[in-house]
Amino acid sequence: MTLKEIAAKAGVSTATVSYVLNGSARVSDETRQKIEKIVKETGYRSNILAQSLRKSRTSLIGVLVEDVTVWHTAYVIDGIHSLAEEKGYHTILSNLRLLSKIESQFEHISKFQKDIDKAVDILLRMRVDGIIYVGMHDREIWDVLHDIDKPVVYCYCYTVGEGSSVRYSNEKAAYQVTKNFLKKGHRYFAVVKGSEQSEPAAMRMRGIEHALKEADIVLEKRNIITGNWKYKETRAQVQEMLKRQDCPRAFIAMNDEMAVAVRDAALEAGLQIPDDLSVAGFDNSDIVHYGMPKITTVDRPLQGMGYKAMELLLDKIENNYDGDVNITLPCRIIEGTSIKVLD
């Protein structure tokens, strides 16, 4: 069934049928109901790509993700879809599957540039109005999307001079977590950080050190553990640190997996949390909500980041805005029962 055949059956023009299918208010209720009944009976589906040949836009958005299995990605995508749904846009998801290929060696992403170019080419062939690139790790990337004559927004990563971006406040959030410890009377700290080459780990360390400096506290190097974001590596190192007579009793972990490793190592050593040892994590992942006590953590605005990325992209598409905007959204502390209030 074609548009022309539907019009003939309804006794109206093809333009009138088009108005109904596109949600125009120019058609009477009686005519609209007649056309909608015919469309339902015939199972007619409009061809989006064919429509795009007649219009300047397709209302299709390409969402190119580095790896859909990284847990935060689903929430970012949900945020993108939320605004897309509100505005009548549809998304096409392309998964690069980079986690298993490069893991945390982000400098190796260039080895898969051909895969990225191929994914972009497919999206462009489908005539997307713009592309949102979703990173699997918050970091600066270089020349990943190039020579694209479409608006681009980066989410959960950023680039300089190649498109707008949306991120979250790593440094400020870590600062706030540390201040939370300080307000509860803690003065002697251990920090469990991520991998050495990680940009978020460096930013979170700056936030921690900033808060400690304001309190005239020096973080001793021997009290810094590099857990590489991993449970097993962190637990083994914390077990060794807990053998020291002067071991800190306040642990700031840069992600929840490492925070749980601290908790488990402490419990294994016969320590009670928070009575004997306090700990906080980062990410508000599901893992901190299982087991007791619940670990204080940081909630990142994942859905909000996706929503804002879509908002920036639509501004470029609908308002022809060609400037770059770099936005950092705030995080919030989710209080658990893992930090003791000292006298």
Side-chain angles (χ1 to χ4, degrees):
M1 179 68 70
T2 66
L3 201 68
K4 191 174 182 179
E5 289 171 334
I6 291 174
K9 191 169 184 178
V12 298
S13 67
T14 55
T16 301
V17 177
S18 180
Y19 291 151
V20 172
L21 295 178
N22 293 324
S24 172
R26 303 183 186 184
V27 182
S28 68
D29 289 342
E30 182 181 353
T31 301
R32 183 186 303 281
Q33 290 171 9
K34 181 191 295 186
I35 293 171
E36 288 176 345
K37 182 180 179 182
I38 294 171
V39 168
K40 185 176 181 179
E41 290 174 347
T42 60
Y44 173 81
R45 295 289 185 273
S46 60
N47 188 322
I48 294 176
L49 293 181
Q51 290 179 8
S52 73
L53 297 175
R54 300 188 297 271
K55 301 189 299 182
S56 60
R57 297 201 298 264
T58 63
S59 296
L60 293 175
I61 301 299
V63 181
L64 185 59
V65 301
E66 289 187 334
D67 201 294
V68 75
T69 65
V70 178
W71 75 271
H72 69 254
T73 302
Y75 295 93
V76 173
I77 293 173
D78 185 64
I80 293 170
H81 284 174
S82 176
L83 184 56
E85 187 177 281
E86 288 179 31
K87 298 296 185 179
Y89 281 78
H90 302 278
T91 61
I92 301 173
L93 178 65
S94 181
N95 179 25
L96 295 171
R97 301 183 64 251
L98 289 178
L99 180 61
S100 61
K101 299 172 184 176
I102 64 174
E103 295 186 348
S104 61
Q105 304 299 312
F106 300 108
E107 66 276 13
H108 294 166
I109 193 172
S110 59
K111 295 180 180 179
F112 301 95
Q113 189 62 52
K114 287 184 178 179
D115 295 337
I116 297 172
D117 292 343
K118 181 179 179 181
V120 170
D121 183 62
I122 291 172
L123 292 175
L124 295 178
R125 286 174 181 272
M126 299 185 77
R127 299 178 63 85
V128 296
D129 292 331
I131 294 175
I132 298 176
Y133 184 96
V134 181
M136 61 180 179
H137 194 68
D138 185 23
R139 70 198 193 281
E140 182 177 3
I141 58 178
W142 303 274
D143 200 32
V144 173
L145 305 182
H146 49 266
D147 300 326
I148 299 177
D149 189 24
K150 293 287 183 180
V152 173
V153 173
Y154 294 84
C155 189
Y156 210 90
C157 59
Y158 70 101
T159 184
V160 178
E162 294 181 24
S164 296
S165 65
V166 182
R167 308 169 65 199
Y168 63 95
S169 55
N170 272 293
E171 185 170 341
K172 186 175 181 181
Y175 172 88
Q176 292 171 329
V177 169
T178 310
K179 293 288 283 187
N180 191 31
F181 271 98
L182 291 168
K183 288 176 183 177
K184 293 177 180 177
H186 294 271
R187 303 284 297 178
Y188 189 41
F189 293 88
V191 172
V192 186
K193 66 178 187 176
S195 56
E196 293 290 350
Q197 70 272 26
S198 168
E199 190 169 339
M203 289 187 288
R204 292 174 193 180
M205 182 59 79
R206 285 198 298 270
I208 293 168
E209 290 177 335
H210 181 196
L212 294 180
K213 184 177 181 180
E214 288 182 345
D216 294 322
I217 296 174
V218 176
L219 178 64
E220 298 179 25
K221 289 185 178 181
R222 67 193 183 116
N223 291 339
I224 299 174
I225 291 173
T226 301
N228 289 313
W229 311 113
K230 302 297 184 181
Y231 174 91
K232 189 174 181 180
E233 291 183 43
T234 298
R235 183 170 178 171
Q237 294 181 71
V238 173
Q239 286 171 331
E240 288 301 312
M241 181 177 282
L242 289 175
K243 295 176 182 178
R244 288 170 30 195
Q245 291 294 323
D246 63 345
C247 176
R249 287 296 187 261
F251 280 73
I252 303 173
M254 290 190 184
N255 78 349
D256 290 335
E257 188 170 334
M258 296 189 296
V260 170
V262 172
R263 181 187 68 186
D264 291 352
L267 294 175
E268 188 178 79
L271 301 175
Q272 298 298 312
I273 295 176
D275 292 339
D276 301 316
L277 186 145
S278 297
V279 60
F282 203 111
D283 290 343
N284 193 27
S285 57
D286 290 343
I287 193 173
V288 299
H289 300 293
Y290 299 111
M292 292 298 291
K294 290 187 177 180
I295 296 174
T296 294
T297 186
V298 173
D299 183 44
R300 298 167 298 167
L302 299 175
Q303 287 157 308
M305 291 168 65
Y307 191 96
K308 178 59 70 173
M310 184 65 178
E311 194 174 74
L312 293 180
L313 190 67
L314 292 186
D315 191 30
K316 290 174 177 285
I317 293 169
E318 297 180 349
N319 301 321
N320 295 315
Y321 179 71
D322 59 359
D324 290 335
V325 179
N326 298 298
I327 293 176
T328 302
L329 298 180
C331 301
R332 65 190 181 101
I333 294 177
I334 305 295
E335 286 279 7
T337 55
S338 63
I339 301 178
K340 184 178 181 178
V341 179
L342 303 180
D343 294 334

